[in-house]
Amino acid sequence: MLKLGIDLGGTTVTAGLVDENLTLLGSLTWDTGAVASIDALETRIAALCDALLEKFWVPRTRIERAGIGVPGAVDPATGVVGMLSNLALTDWRAAEGLSARLGVPVRVDNDANAAAYGEVRCGAAKRARSAVCLTLGTGIGAGIVLDGKIYHGVNGAAGEIGHRSFVPDGRACACGRRGCWERYASSGALALDAADFCRTRPDSGLARYLRQTGGAQAVFDAAQAGVADAQLLLERYFGWLGAGVVDVIQIFQPEVLVLGGGVSRQGERLLAPLRAMADEQEYTRDARTRTKIVCAALGGGAGVLGAALL
Amino acid sequence: MLKLGIDLGGTTVTAGLVDENLTLLGSLTWDTGAVASIDALETRIAALCDALLEKFWVPRTRIERAGIGVPGAVDPATGVVGMLSNLALTDWRAAEGLSARLGVPVRVDNDANAAAYGEVRCGAAKRARSAVCLTLGTGIGAGIVLDGKIYHGVNGAAGEIGHRSFVPDGRACACGRRGCWERYASSGALALDAADFCRTRPDSGLARYLRQTGGAQAVFDAAQAGVADAQLLLERYFGWLGAGVVDVIQIFQPEVLVLGGGVSRQGERLLAPLRAMADEQEYTRDARTRTKIVCAALGGGAGVLGAALL
């Protein structure tokens, strides 16, 4: 029997087929489209799943269950999504609605949680009893897996670690607070900082990379190529990211801390400075057992895999 | 049958008797004394327990088990204490050693964890499925109880939330980092800030209170009596404490957040400004279900009760 995993984003939605060996057999991504109602959203998701089954010649009867990760706060017990970020839809009875359309039981969770669960079940934190997975994107999302189970908190909204105070009275954040960590340590923040820098220095080496690649990737590429401005920017970024990573370790002491999102492709270039900071600053730097800091292994597939296994 | 709860501190050690209704029947506190070895420490604790039983006319045969909370990182599975803060003793096989001396099974955990567990089992967070208990003292300790169980992390050292970065390049901390939260938001930090203020203003109203009561309590007393300096100092303190409290909520969304330590006696005077900050800054400020912020209910007894129930 196969499982369906669905990863719903603000702009795209991906569905994938997962087999009993936890292998992602194949997937299909569509634009989320301008869905104006819950009904339209459910119709679009069901159509995507139909197209996926057709593409891989899989009859519906081989699907035993489905799971979906959504960008919003979810009550995992009821499968109700309180609010969908980016899609302006509220009180979506997702488990009920999708289950009726797909004809199989559907589990629902937050997208960061689903991705974290994917990494714990078959990725970078495989077999770890506890893991915190940070996704560095426009913001910083966190999925917390403790004792093999996703930790949700009392209202399904645990893990908003991107919105922890990092600099008192610091940069304004869309959440209403000032100085949130994600305004400094997300890859979005790094990209913005680089763009800010280049606005006044359009002829700098970094600006040339930024025009070519764009975003956080450009800063890593430029630093790698020896552009001093990029190296300085990155050093400051690592300081901000590392301080928060050490904080996560002080608080959770998870078996594994996974860094996901686009910048996790940097591998050791990202990990080495963070591990050095942990060796210096961790309260438990001399302990026999310490948190392993690793990069995500499943890339974009984590969300689909995790959702299928919910 | 009765349970023995032991709360080991750097300067004092308390033992208490807990009955089946989770009531603390009585307790006894001794100086920890200048214990130079693990053997001396175990002898002192056993003698205290003997004195306690004698004081309350309880025969040894009525004790079924014991628990101890210690200031240090513990492996709760083995009952081995890696390092005892303040007592310069390492690798104490506490469960084994104390069990041999007391003649009953002994469970061992960190003191902040034991206190948190006490508050969850029979105090301010009674019946809560998840709770984070912050103890505001010289530093800030945290006990994390999730799904009714103490959360330890991979090495028994989870919950060092006092040592999360709060101000980049801020006040130096004994842990080696700079800007740790407890250097701003512990009651010890408030007392130090008040003392600093009064050093240059020995004739101020706050200085008079500080000479009378001393410590953080003096600042609360002076502010209550209308001393403007104390009110300003307290306002700044609440800002620091509240920002970190909101952060704990963003990360854990626990059912209950308990504030313990001496300043928790302030009750609403402490809670009101923190709740106002949470209403303003929480990511989930509009959610139907939110974390309750409360003061500890068991005072000093939490550690003994929690240890007995481990």
Side-chain angles (χ1 to χ4, degrees):
Chain A
M1 294 295 276
L2 301 175
K3 294 177 180 70
L4 264 176
I6 305 160
D7 188 9
L8 177 65
T11 53
T12 62
V13 52
T14 300
L17 283 164
V18 178
D19 72 7
E20 276 136 4
N21 303 318
L22 313 190
T23 306
L24 184 60
L25 300 180
S27 66
L28 191 61
T29 299
W30 282 4
D31 283 345
T32 308
V35 288
S37 68
I38 285 167
D39 186 63
L41 177 62
E42 289 181 355
T43 304
R44 182 121 187 108
I45 292 169
L48 169 66
C49 292
D50 281 342
L52 173 75
L53 297 183
E54 202 167 319
K55 181 179 170 192
F56 291 97
W57 295 57
V58 172
R60 253 177 189 276
T61 49
R62 284 197 60 206
I63 304 299
E64 60 172 329
R65 59 224 287 300
I68 181 168
V70 304
V74 180
D75 179 339
T78 61
V80 174
V81 183
M83 201 188 69
L84 269 187
S85 323
N86 309 319
L87 286 171
L89 298 175
T90 55
D91 288 318
W92 176 25
R93 300 158 76 92
E96 199 180 305
L98 289 176
S99 173
R101 286 175 196 260
L102 301 176
V104 290
V106 177
R107 298 299 296 264
V108 188
D109 212 316
N110 172 270
D111 53 357
N113 289 346
Y117 194 59
E119 291 291 344
V120 167
R121 287 295 300 279
C122 40
K126 199 169 170 176
R127 278 185 282 275
R129 279 176 62 84
S130 58
V132 176
C133 303
L134 302 175
T135 304
L136 309 174
T138 317
I140 300 182
I144 303 165
V145 180
L146 305 177
D147 245 338
K149 288 183 299 187
I150 298 172
Y151 174 74
H152 292 98
V154 73
N155 50 17
E160 283 297 348
I161 209 161
H163 298 287
R164 54 149 286 196
S165 162
F166 186 67
V167 175
D169 293 313
R171 300 174 176 178
C173 183
C175 79
R177 292 185 99 184
R178 297 195 76 90
C180 287
W181 187 38
E182 66 175 42
R183 295 290 291 107
Y184 299 83
S186 64
S187 56
L190 176 59
L192 283 176
D193 282 349
D196 269 355
F197 175 89
C198 294
R199 204 159 294 134
T200 52
R201 297 173 192 79
D203 301 323
S204 62
L206 177 56
R208 277 192 296 278
Y209 275 89
L210 214 60
R211 277 191 295 271
Q212 259 170 29
T213 333
Q217 181 67 41
V219 188
F220 279 93
D221 289 349
Q224 174 78 350
V227 175
D229 295 332
Q231 288 167 343
L232 281 172
L233 214 57
L234 214 47
E235 198 175 306
R236 191 180 64 164
Y237 173 75
F238 285 143
W240 290 335
L241 179 59
V245 162
V246 169
D247 290 349
V248 170
I249 296 174
Q250 313 278 60
I251 295 170
F252 284 99
Q253 298 285 345
E255 197 172 327
V256 183
L257 186 148
V258 182
L259 292 164
V263 296
S264 68
R265 282 193 301 268
Q266 299 298 326
E268 283 305 312
R269 272 195 272 169
L270 179 70
L271 294 174
L274 301 182
R275 287 179 180 147
M277 281 183 76
D279 287 346
E280 200 187 300
Q281 297 188 19
E282 248 180 58
Y283 200 76
T284 44
R285 54 190 173 265
D286 299 322
R288 264 169 238 141
T289 310
R290 290 176 56 199
T291 298
K292 288 179 198 68
I293 308 174
V294 301
C295 281
L298 303 176
V304 167
L305 268 160
L309 303 172
L310 283 173
Chain B
M1 296 294 276
L2 301 175
K3 295 178 179 70
L4 263 175
I6 305 161
D7 188 9
L8 177 64
T11 53
T12 61
V13 51
T14 300
L17 284 165
V18 177
D19 72 7
E20 276 137 3
N21 303 317
L22 313 190
T23 306
L24 183 61
L25 300 179
S27 66
L28 191 61
T29 300
W30 282 3
D31 282 346
T32 309
V35 287
S37 69
I38 284 167
D39 186 63
L41 177 62
E42 289 181 353
T43 304
R44 182 121 188 109
I45 292 170
L48 169 66
C49 291
D50 282 342
L52 173 76
L53 296 183
E54 201 167 320
K55 183 179 168 191
F56 291 97
W57 295 60
V58 171
R60 252 176 189 276
T61 49
R62 284 197 59 206
I63 305 297
E64 58 171 331
R65 59 224 289 299
I68 181 168
V70 305
V74 181
D75 179 340
T78 60
V80 175
V81 184
M83 202 188 67
L84 268 186
S85 322
N86 309 320
L87 286 170
L89 299 174
T90 55
D91 289 317
W92 175 25
R93 300 158 74 92
E96 199 181 307
L98 289 176
S99 173
R101 288 176 196 258
L102 301 176
V104 290
V106 177
R107 298 300 294 266
V108 188
D109 213 315
N110 171 269
D111 52 358
N113 289 348
Y117 195 60
E119 291 290 345
V120 167
R121 287 295 303 277
C122 41
K126 198 168 171 176
R127 279 186 281 274
R129 280 176 62 83
S130 58
V132 176
C133 303
L134 302 175
T135 304
L136 309 174
T138 317
I140 299 182
I144 302 165
V145 179
L146 305 177
D147 245 338
K149 289 184 297 187
I150 298 172
Y151 174 75
H152 292 97
V154 71
N155 50 17
E160 283 297 348
I161 208 161
H163 297 288
R164 53 150 285 196
S165 162
F166 187 66
V167 176
D169 294 313
R171 299 174 176 178
C173 183
C175 79
R177 293 185 100 186
R178 297 195 76 91
C180 286
W181 187 39
E182 67 175 42
R183 295 290 291 108
Y184 298 83
S186 65
S187 55
L190 177 59
L192 283 176
D193 282 348
D196 270 354
F197 175 89
C198 294
R199 205 159 293 134
T200 52
R201 297 172 191 79
D203 300 323
S204 62
L206 178 55
R208 278 193 296 277
Y209 274 89
L210 214 60
R211 278 191 295 271
Q212 260 171 27
T213 333
Q217 180 67 42
V219 188
F220 278 94
D221 289 349
Q224 174 78 351
V227 176
D229 295 333
Q231 288 167 343
L232 281 173
L233 214 58
L234 213 49
E235 199 174 307
R236 191 179 65 163
Y237 173 75
F238 286 141
W240 290 335
L241 179 60
V245 161
V246 170
D247 289 349
V248 170
I249 296 174
Q250 313 278 61
I251 295 169
F252 285 98
Q253 297 285 347
E255 196 171 326
V256 184
L257 187 149
V258 182
L259 292 164
V263 296
S264 68
R265 282 192 301 269
Q266 299 298 326
E268 283 304 313
R269 271 195 273 169
L270 179 71
L271 294 175
L274 301 182
R275 286 178 181 150
M277 281 183 77
D279 287 345
E280 200 187 301
Q281 297 188 18
E282 250 181 58
Y283 200 76
T284 44
R285 55 190 172 266
D286 299 321
R288 266 169 236 141
T289 310
R290 290 176 56 198
T291 298
K292 289 179 196 68
I293 308 174
V294 301
C295 280
L298 304 175
V304 168
L305 267 160
L309 303 173
L310 282 172

